[in-house]
Amino acid sequence: MKAAVFHAPGAPLTIENVQISKPGPREVLVRTVAVGVCHSDLHILDGMLPARGPSILGHEAAGIVEAVGADVRTVKPGDHVVTCVSVYCGHCEHCLTGHLSLCVSPETRRSRDEEPRLSIIQKPVAQTANLASFAEQMLVHEHALVAIRKDMPLDRAALLGCAVTTGTGAVFNTAKVRPGETVAVIGCGGIGLAAINGAQLAGASRIIAIDMLDSKLELARQFGATDVINASSAEVAKQVHELTRGGVHHAFECIGLKQTAEQAFGMLRRGGTATVIGVIKPGVKLELHGLDFLDEKRIQGSMMGSNRFPVDLPRLVDFYLAGRLKLDEMIAQRVPLEQINQAFDELRRGELARSVIVFDQ
């Protein structure tokens, strides 16, 4: 199959022929239809997050099941599916207590003494995020995907695999925003727009979008923002306090920077919660005012929106098909696999919400 292969940080992805194995007992072979270009992959490309090459990146994908292993019970050939980074085993402590996104069981991967799922000239190729979606096919554990309605367009369904599940899930599952509460969202890329849309679905009374680009702030209004702040102006947290007369109940950081994570905590009202969704560079430490904790302010992380993927994703599909979840507006461009490096260049510039790689069908 054809795939975009990562070899080393700073080097462009190369389009190569990769051998793919047959499904094991609990594995599923999927023909990739669409895959989103996500910041998590960019962090690996630029060396911010560690990864070994050769490997195949990509994790925000949708496709059609081609074959299944003998013990697979959740999907069948012909099913339309969406993948998820937080593949789960189903029986560890995290899974049994409803925290599927925290599962780290190694049994969802092939062991080192087994034939690798992917290889180039008989040398193993790693699956980043246990998925490897920048390829014409994916071979994954059955708990790395979920079947969806066939009337759902797959290029839009792909976004549910990461950006939308992460953004809406942080609102619904991690922070548990309640009707009438106030929300601020820092960063209006794919995840930030999804968080804004999620806050609207949750019934937030006021949703403040914060970004450096006016074009993204205008897009944020389409997703449900009631107010916007251009972050190039000074004292963003102070502006939030003035708008809300005391700060917001919830602030969501969707970029992954020290400054914006600290700003999220600084714009809270008494008893408020800051949820950091963005990936902060390893080793970076946050500085927070200790007295704020006496006001019962909290700061927390969110892993893939604390999702229960088999439950959450079909509901998001229903929201989209009912016209309540915005996905069409999030896709800025659709490009073939051969233009993947240009898509990452666009992502570095930060001007587009989401690019989607589409495969010939």
Side-chain angles (χ1 to χ4, degrees), residues 64-274:
I64 300 172
V65 175
E66 291 191 320
V68 301
D71 296 335
V72 171
R73 298 290 180 267
T74 55
V75 295
K76 63 185 183 302
D79 281 349
H80 290 196
V81 295
V82 175
T83 61
C84 183
V85 172
S86 52
V87 56
Y88 62 95
C89 70
H91 53 77
C92 70
E93 180 180 353
H94 294 302
C95 290
L96 291 176
T97 55
H99 301 98
L100 277 65
S101 63
L102 300 181
C103 178
V104 293
S105 172
E107 68 183 60
T108 58
R109 303 171 176 83
R110 287 191 179 182
S111 64
R112 291 187 177 182
D113 58 355
E114 292 181 284
E115 176 190 344
R117 288 174 178 166
L118 306 174
S119 60
I120 297 177
I121 315 177
Q122 298 183 333
K123 293 183 178 180
V125 174
Q127 287 179 290
T128 303
N130 211 23
L131 292 173
S133 304
F134 291 145
E136 293 177 319
Q137 292 175 303
M138 296 176 283
L139 182 60
V140 300
H141 189 277
E142 66 172 317
H143 286 167
L145 44 76
V146 63
I148 60 170
R149 296 166 51 174
K150 290 187 177 181
D151 55 343
M152 176 69 185
L154 288 174
D155 59 341
R156 275 139 283 185
L159 302 182
L160 302 178
C162 180
V164 178
T165 292
T166 298
T168 60
V171 172
F172 301 149
N173 303 325
T174 312
K176 296 180 173 61
V177 174
R178 292 176 291 188
E181 292 184 326
T182 52
V183 168
V185 177
I186 305 175
C188 297
I191 291 174
L193 292 173
I196 290 168
N197 201 167
Q200 182 187 55
L201 289 170
S205 62
R206 198 159 194 174
I207 305 168
I208 304 169
I210 303 165
D211 201 279
M212 299 281 285
L213 296 176
D214 288 334
S215 59
K216 284 191 172 182
L217 293 174
E218 184 58 37
L219 189 58
R221 288 189 184 277
Q222 298 180 39
F223 279 72
T226 59
D227 303 90
V228 298
I229 295 175
N230 189 307
S232 61
S233 60
E235 299 182 333
V236 171
K238 182 179 178 181
Q239 292 184 61
V240 171
H241 278 272
E242 291 174 349
L243 278 172
T244 57
R245 298 182 180 180
V248 292
H249 293 91
H250 298 278
F252 295 91
E253 197 281 346
C254 304
I255 302 174
L257 297 175
K258 168 183 167 65
Q259 177 185 358
T260 47
E262 292 170 353
Q263 283 179 340
F265 189 74
M267 60 184 62
L268 298 175
R269 66 187 296 142
R270 299 187 77 184
T273 301

Side-chain angles (χ1 to χ4, degrees), residues 273-348:
T273 301
T275 302
V276 178
I277 307 174
V279 179
I280 298 176
K281 186 176 181 179
V284 171
K285 297 180 180 180
L286 303 184
E287 298 177 79
L288 306 173
H289 294 293
L291 288 177
D292 284 339
F293 291 104
L294 294 178
D295 288 335
E296 297 190 6
K297 296 179 182 179
R298 295 176 293 277
I299 188 166
Q300 63 183 355
S302 179
M303 172 59 181
M304 280 293 297
S306 306
N307 73 79
R308 300 87 36 91
F309 199 66
V311 175
D312 294 345
L313 196 128
R315 292 177 180 177
L316 292 174
V317 169
D318 289 341
F319 274 135
Y320 169 77
L321 292 175
R324 301 179 65 191
L325 183 69
K326 293 185 179 296
L327 300 177
D328 299 26
E329 298 86 347
M330 193 179 292
I331 300 177
Q333 61 177 358
R334 297 169 176 84
V335 298
L337 185 65
E338 289 76 11
Q339 294 181 23
I340 191 168
N341 289 306
Q342 293 94 314
F344 275 112
D345 287 340
E346 293 281 1
L347 189 59
R348 287 186 184 93

